[in-house]
């Protein structure tokens, strides 16, 4: 088949047959100004804007236009599970944004000022469920899908073939348009087009197409550099870029190709794929027939399975009904027998009363005067009287009124019935404590059984413990999770939460996993990365590419410094700080210090103190160099009695060393055992800026290890000092708020 014939075969496909490819997965309507997400799926511009819930209008420069004067008005929306999930995510993120305080950074030379006021820029793609992070630029980083717009417009025209596009320039009555000018963005009839585009004028060079309502820019502009045309294609990010993006932008180290080359390659690949599918039409039809057979079998087998389950439950109901009748009959028989015995005993005791029953009869016998007759009757009567007298002295009820032996214990059976399931129920997942972390948001990870089949999705449930008095102890469910982890938002600070998860396969749910508990920090998580500008020593500190871990290198520079010890020059700490400061509110962050680390200082410091350290470094040989150096200097205690603009704890060699002044006054200052604690696997720091107090926690148990007053008159920064071999890792939740979309 020739290229022309193949092209014609593709064009001849009826446009109405592709309707489902033109429906937005969120609003379930035809796309309107679709945007291309980083995962290559498309979503309506209005849908993305509504989901992000921004308080200001985002710049819609997805090409060369900054606004959409022709945007349609409000549309009727069809709710969908994806839409409900995204709306809940956006609402929770809005609450999170309100809970964060403002943060700023100092403006001294070399310090980067940047607001970290949280914005809702992340949402799950409704097509593939992967998280989409729009970064700081928000929607302005997305391209409009002009190709999809054109196809939607052709579909609309095919759907309303009887409705013609009218000329925009004709005086009433308007004529039917025959051309549309892409430069003028208007439609014309033949006469109006000739009049407004006369030969020999610049307008005669305008580009015109058939009648259309879709006017798109002639040139696609870079959303990151508004004045630059896209002329290259990034093979890593799979998106068009301009030359500035390649020279010094986010695509500097990515492999790019020319737009013409990418166009040729991608069009050739797409054409080959389409031609392959067309050549396999018979195979596709065969597979469709097979799928239709499977659909019928599924319906039939489903009905058979439903009938089988119904019969099993009916047998269970019948067995329970029979057992119920037997046990209730046993209770009735026992009750009747006991009532008869007790009522007989009542009659017997009533006979002991005067002038009634046995006593009355005995009184009449006593009136007998014939001795032989009296003796004949009185012998038996006396025996009965003696028995009654003995019964009166040793009174015992004839029957026990308690029915304790008939109490039915069904907890085991109820548990069995609750766990009643089909043979194909999946095994419960297990929550991975090593990878799960909880802050004001919780990252929960789990593992499936090794021999289990693939599951459809998982459902995580959680509840706050100790909230019974508030009436908020119920289990809360997350949306369906299609991976091994999920994020739970809006957890209350300083609270204990319980979590459990179960899997679902073919609408069958597994039992719940064992419950695990986590204690949330006393304040929202503070997001930052290590600062690679201010005071950072690249000779002695190695920073990861993501700036979420730092390692002290005992290299040549360290050895040369050690060599100068003989001449009085000493080695000092290498400081590194967070790239974001705190100027108000309560904030919490956590990190890990490698157990092999020799000496690491962790804590907070003000901007003025940091500048002093960076510009006037002091050596570590002086006993008074550090406030908690461990030397017996009287000024140390005095220092800790005062509020200083910094607080640093010493961690190293698997231990945590508390400052001397934190020990009670009656303890022996020569005894270091009460100042040395095992180093926690994860260390947490909470700074209450308004109260001027800093807390250090074991982040796994949320046990406060140490607290003290700190002078928060300036902007405070997370501070770390390393010497020798040491390494610090920031927690994932601390860094992810600052990492941009890659």
């Amino acid at each position: 088949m020739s290229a022309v014939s193949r092209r014609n075969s593709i064009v001849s496909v009826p446009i109405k047959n592709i309707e489902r490819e033109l429906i937005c997965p969120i609003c379930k309507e035809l796309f309107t100004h679709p945007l291309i997400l980083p995962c290559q799926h498309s979503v309506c511009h209005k849908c993305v804007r509504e989901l992000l819930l921004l308080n200001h209008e985002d710049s819609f420069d997805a090409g060369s236009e900054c606004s959409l004067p022709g945007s349609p008005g409000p549309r009727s929306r069809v709710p969908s599970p994806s839409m409900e999930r995204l709306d809940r995510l956006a609402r929770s993120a809005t609450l999170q944004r309100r809970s964060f305080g403002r943060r700023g950074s100092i403006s001294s030379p070399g310090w980067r000022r940047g607001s970290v006021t949280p914005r809702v820029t992340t949402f799950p793609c409704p097509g593939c469920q992967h998280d989409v992070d729009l970064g700081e630029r928000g929607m302005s980083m997305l391209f409009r899908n002009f190709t999809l717009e054109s196809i939607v417009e052709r579909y609309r025209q095919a759907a309303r073939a009887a409705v013609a596009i009218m000329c925009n320039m004709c005086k009433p009555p308007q004529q039917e348009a025959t051309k549309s000018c892409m430069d003028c963005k208007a439609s014309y009839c033949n006469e109006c087009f000739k009049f407004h585009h006369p030969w020999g004028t610049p307008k005669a060079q305008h580009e015109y197409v058939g009648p259309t309502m879709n006017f798109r820019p002639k040139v696609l502009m870079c959303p990151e550099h508004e004045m630059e045309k896209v002329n290259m294609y990034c093979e890593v990010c799979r998106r068009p870029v301009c030359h500035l993006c390649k020279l010094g932008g986010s695509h500097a180290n990515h492999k790019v190709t020319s737009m013409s080359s990418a166009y040729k390659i991608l069009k050739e690949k797409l054409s080959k794929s389409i031609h392959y599918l067309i050549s396999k039409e018979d195979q596709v039809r065969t597979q469709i027939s097979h799928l239709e057979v499977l659909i019928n079998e599924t319906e039939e087998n489903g009905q058979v399975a439903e009938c089988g389950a119904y019969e099993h439950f009916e047998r269970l109901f019948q067995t329970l009904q029979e057992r119920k009748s037997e046990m209730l009959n046993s209770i009735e028989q026992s009750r009747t027998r006991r009532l008869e015995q007790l009522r007989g005993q009542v009659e017997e005791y009533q006979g002991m009363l005067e002038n009634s029953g046995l006593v009355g009869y005995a009184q009449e016998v006593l009136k007998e005067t014939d001795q032989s007759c009296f003796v004949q009757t009185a012998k038996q009567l006396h025996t009965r009287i003696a028995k009654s007298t003995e019964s009166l002295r040793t009174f015992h009820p004839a029957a026990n009124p308690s029915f304790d032996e008939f109490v039915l214990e069904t907890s085991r059976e109820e548990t069995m019935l609750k766990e009643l399931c089909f043979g194909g129920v999946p095994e419960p997942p297990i929550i991975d404590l090593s990878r799960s972390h909880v802050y004001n948001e919780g990252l929960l990870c789990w593992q499936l059984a090794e021999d289990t089949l693939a599951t459809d999705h998982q459902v995580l449930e959680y509840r706050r413990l100790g909230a019974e008095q508030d009436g908020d102890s119920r289990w809360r469910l997350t949306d369906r999770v299609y991976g091994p982890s999920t994020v739970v938002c809006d957890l209350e600070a300083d609270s204990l939460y319980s979590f459990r998860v179960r899997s679902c396969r073919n609408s069958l749910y597994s039992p719940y996993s064992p419950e695990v508990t986590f204690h949330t920090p006393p304040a929202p998580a503070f997001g930052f990365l290590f600062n690679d500008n201010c005071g950072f020593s690249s000779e002695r500190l190695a920073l990861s590419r993501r700036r979420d871990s730092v390692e002290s290198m005992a290299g040549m520079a360290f050895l040369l410094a050690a060599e100068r010890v003989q001449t009085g020059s000493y080695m000092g700490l290498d400081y590194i700080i967070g790239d974001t400061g705190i100027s108000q509110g309560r904030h919490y962050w956590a990190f890990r210090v490698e157990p092999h680390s020799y000496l690491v200082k962790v804590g907070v410091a003000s901007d003025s103190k940091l500048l002093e350290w960076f510009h006037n470094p002091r050596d570590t040989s002086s006993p008074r160099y550090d406030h908690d150096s461990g030397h017996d200097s009287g000024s140390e205690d005095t220092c800790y009695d005062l509020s200083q603009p910094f607080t640093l704890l010493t961690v190293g060699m698997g231990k945590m060393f508390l400052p001397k002044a934190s020990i009670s006054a009656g303890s022996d200052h020569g005894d270091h055992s009460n100042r040395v604690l095992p180093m926690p696997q994860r260390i947490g720091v909470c700074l209450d800026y308004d109260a001027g107090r800093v807390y250090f926690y074991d982040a796994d148990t949320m046990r406060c290890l140490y607290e003290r007053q700190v002078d928060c008159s300036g902007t405070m920064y997370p501070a770390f000092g390393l010497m020798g071999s040491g390494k610090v890792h920031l927690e994932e939740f601390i860094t992810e708020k600052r990492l941009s979309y890659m």
Side-chain angles (χ1 to χ4, degrees):
M1 181 183 293
S2 65
V4 175
S5 60
R6 287 198 302 264
R7 183 169 63 253
N8 292 337
S9 66
I10 296 175
V11 175
S12 64
V13 176
I15 190 72
K16 63 181 181 180
N17 293 345
I18 63 173
E19 178 179 358
R20 65 178 180 179
E21 300 293 334
L22 311 179
I23 299 297
C24 174
I26 296 181
C27 63
K28 304 301 181 185
E29 299 177 0
L30 290 176
F31 282 107
T32 303
H33 306 299
L35 303 179
I36 303 177
L37 302 179
C39 57
Q40 304 303 305
H41 291 100
S42 295
V43 181
C44 288
H45 169 263
K46 290 188 65 176
C47 294
V48 176
R49 185 176 59 185
E50 292 172 3
L51 292 177
L52 296 180
L53 297 178
L54 296 176
N55 295 325
H56 57 85
E57 287 292 330
D58 242 320
S59 172
F60 182 49
D61 190 356
S64 62
E65 298 178 342
C66 297
S67 62
L68 289 173
S71 297
R75 299 173 294 176
S76 59
R77 300 180 63 84
V78 179
S80 66
S82 298
M83 186 66 188
E84 295 175 0
R85 179 188 178 200
L86 295 174
D87 285 341
R88 284 195 296 269
L89 176 65
R91 287 196 297 271
S92 64
T94 301
L95 295 175
Q96 174 189 350
R97 182 171 68 248
R98 295 173 181 171
S99 67
F100 272 75
R102 292 184 306 172
R103 307 169 189 161
S105 57
I106 62 178
S107 57
S108 302
W111 296 76
R112 294 183 299 175
R113 176 180 296 275
S115 172
V116 293
T117 302
R119 297 173 59 202
V120 185
T121 61
T122 303
F123 60 91
C125 171
C128 60
Q129 303 299 326
H130 286 88
D131 286 341
V132 176
D133 188 356
L134 300 183
E136 297 181 357
R137 295 182 56 84
M139 294 169 59
S140 63
M141 72 164 287
L142 300 178
F143 281 104
R144 268 176 71 183
N145 195 337
F146 290 114
T147 302
L148 180 56
E149 280 191 51
S150 300
I151 297 174
V152 171
E153 177 62 24
R154 292 202 299 270
Y155 174 83
R156 292 182 188 274
Q157 293 180 11
R160 58 169 187 261
V163 181
I165 298 177
M166 308 306 294
C167 176
N168 299 132
M169 301 300 171
C170 282
K171 295 181 179 180
Q174 290 180 312
Q175 300 295 318
E176 182 176 346
T178 58
K179 298 179 180 66
S180 292
C181 179
M182 301 304 292
D183 294 274
C184 300
K185 294 181 173 55
S187 298
Y188 302 87
C189 63
N190 285 332
E191 295 300 325
C192 290
F193 185 82
K194 293 178 181 179
F195 178 78
H196 290 279
H197 299 78
W199 287 102
T201 64
K203 285 191 174 182
Q205 305 300 321
H206 285 189
E207 178 186 359
Y208 63 91
V209 295
T212 182
M213 299 293 293
N214 180 36
F215 299 100
R216 68 183 188 183
K218 298 178 64 176
V219 179
L220 196 63
M221 308 300 289
C222 177
E224 187 171 353
H225 307 95
E226 289 84 353
M227 304 303 295
E228 298 295 330
K229 302 176 183 178
V230 294
N231 53 9
M232 290 180 287
Y233 180 79
C234 178
E235 297 183 2
V236 177
C237 302
R238 296 182 298 173
R239 60 177 292 164
V241 296
C242 69
H243 70 282
L244 293 182
C245 294
K246 175 58 179 174
L247 290 178
S250 57
H251 305 269
N253 298 322
H254 293 180
K255 182 180 180 181
V256 299
T257 184
S258 65
M259 189 62 69
S260 58
S261 176
Y263 171 82
K264 181 179 179 181
I265 294 174
L266 291 177
K267 191 164 188 177
E268 182 179 355
K269 287 183 178 180
L270 182 59
S271 299
K272 287 182 178 179
S273 300
I274 294 174
H275 299 325
Y276 175 80
L277 291 178
I278 294 176
S279 66
K280 298 294 183 180
E281 184 174 350
D282 293 339
Q283 181 180 348
V284 173
R285 294 186 183 279
T286 301
Q287 293 177 353
I288 291 176
S289 301
H290 179 62
L291 290 174
E292 291 176 347
V293 172
L294 293 180
I295 290 175
N296 295 331
E297 291 181 357
T298 301
E299 292 180 350
E300 295 175 359
N301 294 337
Q303 293 177 357
V304 171
E306 184 178 355
C307 293
Y310 180 82
E311 292 176 358
H312 281 292
F313 277 104
E314 285 298 317
R315 285 199 294 269
L316 286 176
F317 293 153
Q318 182 179 357
T319 302
L320 284 174
Q321 190 63 38
E322 293 175 355
R323 193 60 180 154
K324 172 185 174 182
S325 300
E326 293 175 0
M327 300 184 75
L328 292 180
N329 187 42
S330 299
I331 295 175
E332 180 62 25
Q333 291 178 358
S334 177
R335 182 178 63 178
T336 301
R337 184 177 65 256
R338 295 184 190 192
L339 289 176
E340 290 177 354
Q341 293 173 350
L342 291 173
R343 287 168 180 165
Q345 191 175 18
V346 169
E347 292 178 358
E348 180 182 351
Y349 274 71
Q350 285 179 344
M352 298 181 189
L353 300 177
E354 186 177 3
N355 299 324
S356 65
L358 181 61
V359 174
Y361 175 67
Q363 290 176 343
E364 294 298 324
V365 171
L366 289 175
K367 296 177 181 179
E368 177 63 48
T369 59
D370 187 306
Q371 294 181 355
S372 59
C373 291
F374 176 81
V375 171
Q376 181 183 12
T377 305
K379 180 60 178 177
Q380 181 184 10
L381 181 60
H382 181 266
T383 301
R384 293 179 58 193
I385 293 293
K387 289 182 178 181
S388 298
T389 303
E390 181 65 22
S391 174
L392 186 63
R393 286 198 299 266
T394 60
F395 173 76
H396 291 290
N400 185 1
S402 173
F403 280 74
D404 291 341
E405 65 270 27
F406 290 95
V407 173
L408 194 60
E409 174 57 45
T410 61
S411 59
R412 182 170 60 89
E413 288 76 9
E414 289 176 2
T415 301
M416 293 177 61
L417 288 174
K418 289 180 181 179
E419 295 179 352
L420 184 65
C421 56
F422 297 99
V425 170
E427 293 291 327
I430 302 297
I431 296 180
D432 189 346
L433 297 178
S434 62
R435 297 189 296 123
S436 300
H437 303 297
V438 173
Y439 298 90
N440 51 310
E441 296 178 351
L443 172 63
L444 278 301
C445 305
W446 52 82
Q447 295 178 343
L448 301 177
E450 294 182 357
D451 57 345
T452 187
L453 300 176
T455 57
D456 297 334
H457 64 270
Q458 286 78 37
V459 176
L460 179 72
E461 299 183 7
Y462 65 99
R463 64 176 176 176
R464 186 163 67 96
L465 302 179
E468 291 78 7
Q469 63 275 14
D470 301 334
D472 192 24
S473 60
R474 67 187 186 281
W475 287 98
R476 302 180 185 179
L477 278 69
T478 63
D479 295 316
R480 293 181 176 181
V481 182
Y482 297 93
S485 65
T486 188
V487 175
V488 180
C489 302
D490 300 327
L491 300 179
E492 295 189 16
D494 199 15
S495 301
L496 191 64
Y497 281 87
S498 181
F499 298 86
R500 65 185 184 184
V501 65
R502 60 175 176 171
S503 300
C504 178
R505 185 195 304 123
N506 298 329
S507 300
L508 302 179
Y509 283 92
S510 72
Y512 286 104
S513 67
E515 294 183 22
V516 298
T517 57
F518 288 95
H519 199 294
T520 58
F526 178 67
F528 66 91
L529 299 173
F530 285 121
N531 195 319
D532 58 355
N533 285 339
C534 300
F536 175 72
S537 174
S538 59
E539 295 181 355
R540 296 186 297 274
L541 294 179
L543 195 60
S544 65
R545 184 181 63 85
R546 291 161 54 96
R547 294 193 289 124
D548 57 352
S549 65
V550 63
E551 182 176 8
S552 176
M553 300 181 299
M556 183 61 67
F558 191 87
L559 293 177
L560 293 176
E563 179 66 21
R564 291 195 296 270
V565 170
Q566 299 176 359
T567 63
S569 178
Y570 300 94
M571 299 169 290
L573 288 170
D574 295 312
Y575 286 100
I576 188 169
I577 62 173
D579 62 353
T580 307
I582 299 173
S583 57
Q584 67 174 19
R586 288 169 58 90
H587 306 277
Y588 175 89
W589 61 92
F591 49 88
R592 291 183 296 107
V593 178
E594 288 290 344
H596 68 265
S597 300
Y598 175 67
L599 191 154
V600 178
K601 297 279 190 176
V602 297
V604 296
S606 67
D607 48 3
S608 59
K609 195 65 180 178
L610 290 171
L611 288 175
E612 177 185 338
W613 288 346
F614 292 150
H615 295 154
N616 301 295
R618 289 179 287 178
D619 59 75
T620 58
S621 63
S622 172
R624 302 180 186 276
Y625 161 70
D626 200 1
H627 53 267
D628 62 342
S629 62
H631 294 274
D632 293 327
S633 59
S635 62
E636 285 184 344
D637 296 336
T638 304
C639 174
Y640 260 82
D641 291 337
L642 302 176
S643 180
Q644 297 292 320
F646 65 94
T647 294
L648 297 174
L649 290 189
T650 302
V651 178
M653 301 178 66
K655 305 292 183 181
M656 172 179 281
F657 302 90
L658 301 182
K660 183 184 302 183
S662 64
I663 308 303
S664 60
S667 62
D668 182 9
H669 282 247
D671 182 13
H672 296 279
S673 59
N674 52 3
R675 293 181 51 204
V676 180
L677 302 177
M679 184 177 67
Q681 292 185 355
R682 298 166 54 240
I683 300 175
V685 179
C686 177
L687 176 64
D688 189 338
Y689 186 95
D690 300 329
R693 203 155 189 86
V694 62
Y695 307 82
F696 294 84
Y697 291 88
D698 181 339
D700 288 328
T701 63
M702 289 311 300
R703 180 172 67 94
C704 185
L705 304 175
Y706 175 69
E707 64 174 291
R708 70 150 292 173
Q709 200 76 17
V710 63
D711 180 10
C712 294
S713 56
T715 303
M716 306 299 292
Y717 288 85
F720 304 84
L722 298 89
M723 187 178 75
S725 177
K727 194 170 186 179
V728 180
H729 306 270
L730 297 180
E731 287 285 328
E732 180 178 355
F733 259 68
I734 304 304
T735 61
E736 69 171 358
K737 298 180 182 300
R738 302 301 311 278
L739 291 173
S740 60
Y741 181 85
M742 298 301 293

